[in-house]
Amino acid sequence: MASLKEVRGRITSISSTQQITKAMKMVAAAKLRRAQDNIMRMRPYAQRLGGILTNLSSMAEGSVTNIYTEKRDVGKVLIIAVSSDRGLAGAFNSNIIKGVVSLIETKYSAQQAAGNVTILAIGRKALEALKKRGYNVNGDFTGVFSNLSFDTVRGAAEYAMDGFAKGQFDQIDLVYNEFKNVATQVVQIEQFLPLEEKPAEENASAMLVDYTFEPSKEEIIQELIPKSLKIQVYKAVLESNASEHGARMTAMDKATENAGELLKELKLTYNRTRQAAITKEILEIVGGAEALASK
């Protein structure tokens, strides 16, 4: 049985850990509120922008060509992996790593064997884990979460878009955690470039109204496509940011509960050990007294 000193030390240590996890949970909850507000405001804007682009493309009747819609044989691939800069968020980061690795192994194994898969890491955890696994990782945009804004994320989107336009990449995919609620984050894998055409039934409603455009539909589309792509990356990063804080809040809540359960067990062990020590001392005193009395 452990000594009283050892048990007291463990109780003190776990109590300190519990205070830290409680504080981290409260910080994550405060950050989650802001991050959740940001993504809830961004979603309608991104959806509306995508709807306008879809409607305009439908009314243009295929007359508009854009470098970002060009489909090619997939030789060189870029995967944008959005993780976090810090850990202690449960399976948040490991799920992204698994998603990227699974995507490469199932869809881009030939390109990976030829050395034609590049990973753009947004978040240090993805950078460190994927580099350790031997993948070609670009970590130029890992610091966006220290000052998260559209301007800081835009650089990563422009890097991917320029690479596609110059033929450095033939396909670009996004891997990120979509925020559902505090306890649920879902890994999403989306094709970023080339732009995918919407099914005909989704575009049918676009032909019901005849609009007058100034400037032309074609010019508007050429302006909207780059903006829509940058917004898509920014939205993915906002989704990931909210998911990170939700995952950390859940993880710290669970850690606090586990520390409480462990403290209960240790306090019970401490009381039993202390009671056993007291009983032993009493027996020694009684035994000594009887020995003296028998002389």
Side-chain angles (χ1 to χ4, degrees), residues 73-80 99-119 135 170-175 189-194:
D73 293 334
V74 181
K76 298 178 182 178
V77 177
L78 176 69
I79 299 173
I80 303 174
V100 172
V101 172
S102 175
L103 177 63
I104 293 173
E105 291 178 349
T106 57
K107 189 175 179 181
Y108 300 123
S109 57
Q111 290 84 349
Q112 173 63 18
N116 290 332
V117 174
T118 302
I119 299 171
Y135 293 106
D170 300 312
Q171 181 154 329
I172 303 175
D173 289 346
L174 264 170
V175 182
I189 300 176
E190 298 176 355
Q191 181 173 312
F192 181 61
L193 288 172

Side-chain angles (χ1 to χ4, degrees), residues 2-224:
S3 68
L4 286 173
K5 185 177 181 180
E6 291 174 349
V7 177
R8 276 199 303 268
R10 291 186 66 190
I11 289 174
T12 302
S13 175
I14 293 171
S15 296
S16 299
T17 301
Q18 189 182 47
Q19 290 177 358
I20 293 171
T21 57
K22 279 182 180 179
M24 291 183 70
K25 176 188 172 184
M26 293 173 65
V27 171
K31 290 183 176 180
L32 173 63
R33 179 70 178 270
R34 293 193 295 269
Q36 190 173 356
D37 289 343
N38 288 337
I39 190 58
M40 291 305 176
R41 288 196 296 265
M42 173 54 68
R43 280 176 179 170
Y45 176 73
Q47 291 168 359
R48 185 62 176 166
L49 182 61
I52 292 171
L53 184 60
T54 297
N55 290 349
L56 286 172
S57 300
S58 299
M59 285 183 277
E61 297 180 349
S63 62
V64 179
T65 59
N66 189 285
I67 187 63
Y68 300 120
T69 62
E70 180 184 338
K71 290 181 170 57
R72 315 164 188 160
D73 293 334
V74 181
K76 298 178 182 178
V77 177
L78 176 69
I79 299 173
I80 303 174
V82 188
S83 67
S84 68
D85 288 336
R86 299 184 298 131
L88 298 177
F92 173 83
N93 289 304
S94 62
N95 286 340
I96 289 295
I97 306 307
K98 290 176 184 176
V100 172
V101 172
S102 175
L103 177 63
I104 293 173
E105 291 178 349
T106 57
K107 189 175 179 181
Y108 300 123
S109 57
Q111 290 84 349
Q112 173 63 18
N116 290 332
V117 174
T118 302
I119 299 171
L120 177 61
I122 299 179
R124 278 193 291 271
K125 288 300 179 180
L127 173 69
E128 294 168 358
L130 293 168
K131 264 193 172 180
K132 189 179 293 185
R133 292 171 180 258
Y135 293 106
N136 178 26
V137 187
N138 182 336
D140 293 344
F141 302 98
T142 53
V144 301
F145 291 105
S146 59
N147 183 26
L148 183 56
S149 67
F150 179 74
D151 288 334
T152 57
V153 176
R154 182 172 57 188
E158 289 174 346
Y159 167 83
M161 292 162 63
D162 290 344
F164 185 85
K166 294 175 181 177
Q168 296 172 354
F169 309 114
D170 300 312
Q171 181 154 329
I172 303 175
D173 289 346
L174 264 170
V175 182
Y176 65 96
N177 276 298
E178 182 184 19
F179 179 77
K180 294 294 185 183
N181 53 54
V182 174
T184 306
Q185 303 84 37
V186 180
V187 175
Q188 296 291 342
I189 300 176
E190 298 176 355
Q191 181 173 312
F192 181 61
L193 288 172
L195 286 171
E196 294 183 289
E197 293 182 1
K198 299 292 183 180
E201 58 270 17
E202 292 186 24
N203 296 335
S205 60
M207 305 301 294
L208 298 178
V209 180
D210 185 21
Y211 295 100
T212 300
F213 296 95
E214 182 63 35
S216 66
K217 294 188 290 289
E218 292 75 13
E219 290 179 78
I220 295 174
I221 291 172
Q222 297 294 349
E223 289 289 330
L224 279 182

